[in-house]
Amino acid sequence: MTTISAQVFASVNSAAGIQLSGGAVGSTAIALVATVGGVTGTLLAPILAQHSSAKTQKAEFERQQHATQAQWEREQQHAELAARRACYITTNAAYRRYRIELMNYLWHVRRGEVSQAAGEALEAARSAHHAAFAEAQMFASAVVLGQLDDVAKALSEGYRRTKCLEEGNPDPDDSFEVIAEYLEWIWNCWREMRTVMRTDLGVNDPTASQPRTAPL
């Protein structure tokens, strides 16, 4: 660019010199300036074209970068959603199984038919529930985690009261009927928990959750 400018400047000075020394008519100077302008345009055209091409390439590169970043973010979101869905499925099944085994065990206690197999089934369900809850703590959203924590506490309380009844040392006013009602209430809590999970996964559920009130 500096060389071209110098050339243009020299040409203009030369034209001006011819005009002053020879006393030529102004039309000669105009013709020379026009010629210089044409030469300048010819010299600058490749540089301007190269600059325009560089800008176009830069814009295309940035566009591709943005598209790649957006694609990566979409893939990450899909992967996170898939992991959360798998976690919720496992957790939902574990909570449901634990409550069912508690109810089964309570019936065994009432009939005085608690066997080793019944005890093992309850403990296996309890362990699976603990493992699922631990995993959910790494994936669940805050609102789902709050539901899981509430139901986990309720299940733990149901387990304690059932065991106390089995040992002949129930809580005051506790009985088979009272504990069975409590476990039924946990079932309703589980259904509400499931609804919150589905909502967190983007599944629309028009069914409104019923308010939870723990039985006495």
Side-chain angles (χ1 to χ4, degrees):
M1 291 293 291
T2 302
T3 303
I4 294 173
S5 299
Q7 292 175 350
V8 173
F9 181 74
S11 300
V12 173
N13 284 341
S14 176
I18 293 173
Q19 182 180 5
L20 292 174
S21 60
V25 184
S27 60
T28 303
I30 293 174
L32 289 174
V33 170
T35 301
V36 171
V39 172
T40 302
T42 301
L43 294 174
L44 290 177
I47 297 176
L48 294 175
Q50 184 179 9
H51 179 66
S52 176
S53 176
K55 289 181 63 176
T56 301
Q57 291 177 356
K58 181 181 178 182
E60 177 64 18
F61 176 73
E62 291 177 350
R63 187 193 68 78
Q64 291 179 356
Q65 274 193 320
H66 292 158
T68 301
Q69 178 67 20
Q71 178 65 22
W72 181 84
E73 290 177 356
R74 285 193 296 270
E75 291 175 354
Q76 285 294 108
Q77 291 174 353
H78 291 161
E80 291 172 3
L81 179 62
R84 194 161 72 248
R85 182 187 296 112
C87 175
Y88 285 1
I89 291 172
T90 300
T91 304
N92 180 64
Y95 273 61
R96 181 176 183 273
R97 177 189 171 197
Y98 187 20
R99 194 210 70 90
I100 291 174
E101 290 298 338
L102 270 174
M103 182 61 80
N104 291 339
Y105 196 83
L106 180 63
W107 276 98
H108 288 304
V109 171
R110 184 182 190 184
R111 292 193 292 261
E113 300 174 352
V114 177
S115 63
Q116 181 178 351
E120 291 175 351
L122 175 60
E123 293 305 322
R126 185 166 176 254
S127 296
H129 162 263
H130 291 341
F133 184 35
E135 180 183 6
Q137 289 174 323
M138 301 296 104
F139 290 96
S141 65
V143 62
V144 171
L145 191 57
Q147 291 282 332
L148 294 175
D149 191 48
D150 288 346
V151 179
K153 290 177 181 177
L155 287 167
S156 179
E157 177 66 7
Y159 177 87
R160 184 194 66 80
R161 291 169 66 176
T162 300
K163 282 293 187 177
C164 287
L165 182 66
E166 178 189 8
E167 296 167 0
N169 186 30
D171 289 357
D173 300 324
D174 243 0
S175 64
F176 166 82
E177 290 77 15
V178 173
I179 298 176
E181 181 182 356
Y182 182 77
L183 295 180
E184 183 64 29
W185 171 75
I186 294 178
W187 178 260
N188 293 329
C189 295
W190 168 80
R191 294 177 63 183
E192 181 179 344
M193 179 192 77
R194 181 188 60 185
T195 299
V196 174
M197 283 181 170
R198 288 166 56 85
T199 301
D200 191 57
L201 293 174
V203 179
N204 295 325
D205 193 343
T207 304
S209 299
Q210 298 297 322
R212 294 187 294 170
T213 303
L216 299 177

